Amino acid sequence: MSSATSSFPERIELSGEGLVLRDWTEADLAAMPELFDHPDIAYWTPIVSPFDAAAARARLDRDRQLRAEGTAVLLAITVDGGAPLGEVMLRRAPEGTELGYAVGPAHRGQGLAARAVRVMAAYAFEELGAEQVILELEAENAASVAVATKAGFRLLDVPLISGEEKGRPYTLQTWGLARS
């Protein structure tokens, strides 16, 4: 499916694995800094840092723009459709359908990221026709490597991706999960 010919639905809510993945709302703006303004998130993700109320507003606006363009969807990770505990992202990219995630520090250790990734991968396979979904991770990010493994992803034999983000060089491995 090409992002030029198809867009995402205006609203998305996915349930499974004891989670409800739902659209971010205006009501979530106050909770976003607590989730994303953390040294781990600043270091391992492209999410802006510091992450304050202005960053939350910009992220929500950017989320809506990317969805309208058919490029990406960012959903709040919740257990019941209520308070956000983190975020899971699906992005259509030249290299494939990529997933990403961030869980607020107070909510880690509950398997939220692995479960959210599996639910989002199922959406990509069933609703978007993806044959494979990928995660791009730094090998040194042990927590994300654990998420990839728990979610059933395998390290792919493809070239590493190198770059720089926030003034820091990085090298990413590509992990993949194929449609079953």
Side-chain angles (χ1 to χ4, degrees):
M1 235 181 210
S2 159
S3 62
T5 60
S6 62
S7 61
F8 293 109
E10 189 175 313
R11 289 190 29 79
I12 298 176
E13 183 171 291
L14 309 175
S15 296
E17 302 222 15
L19 299 177
V20 176
L21 308 180
R22 62 159 178 80
D23 294 318
W24 286 103
T25 68
E26 299 288 326
D28 296 321
L29 288 171
M32 292 172 86
E34 181 181 322
L35 297 174
F36 301 133
D37 191 37
H38 188 270
D40 287 348
I41 290 176
Y43 188 82
W44 295 115
T45 76
I47 294 174
V48 300
S49 178
F51 195 97
D52 56 13
R57 167 86 283 164
R59 188 157 184 85
L60 183 61
D61 292 346
R62 182 78 174 134
D63 166 37
R64 291 174 175 166
Q65 176 188 353
L66 292 171
R67 180 175 305 193
E69 293 170 356
T71 304
V73 172
L74 288 77
L75 299 177
I77 300 170
T78 77
V79 293
D80 57 5
L85 309 174
E87 174 176 89
V88 63
M89 177 269 306
L90 180 148
R91 181 175 73 95
R92 292 177 172 140
E95 57 275 10
T97 302
E98 179 187 358
L99 304 183
Y101 46 86
V103 173
H107 310 293
R108 295 182 184 158
Q110 303 172 46
L112 296 171
R115 291 186 286 153
V117 164
R118 285 191 297 262
V119 171
M120 191 66 105
Y123 173 79
F125 296 140
E126 295 163 14
E127 300 298 323
L128 305 179
E131 293 298 320
Q132 175 175 264
V133 293
I134 61 172
L135 299 170
E136 295 176 344
L137 313 172
E138 291 185 63
E140 297 80 18
N141 187 343
S144 278
V145 170
V147 167
T149 303
K150 287 177 190 171
F153 284 68
R154 302 181 94 142
L155 184 59
L156 301 178
D157 185 18
V158 298
L160 297 174
I161 302 162
S162 295
E164 186 174 309
E165 182 81 33
K166 301 178 191 171
R168 158 181 109 70
Y170 65 80
T171 302
L172 303 175
Q173 300 175 322
T174 302
W175 292 71
L177 179 66
R179 176 196 294 265
S180 54

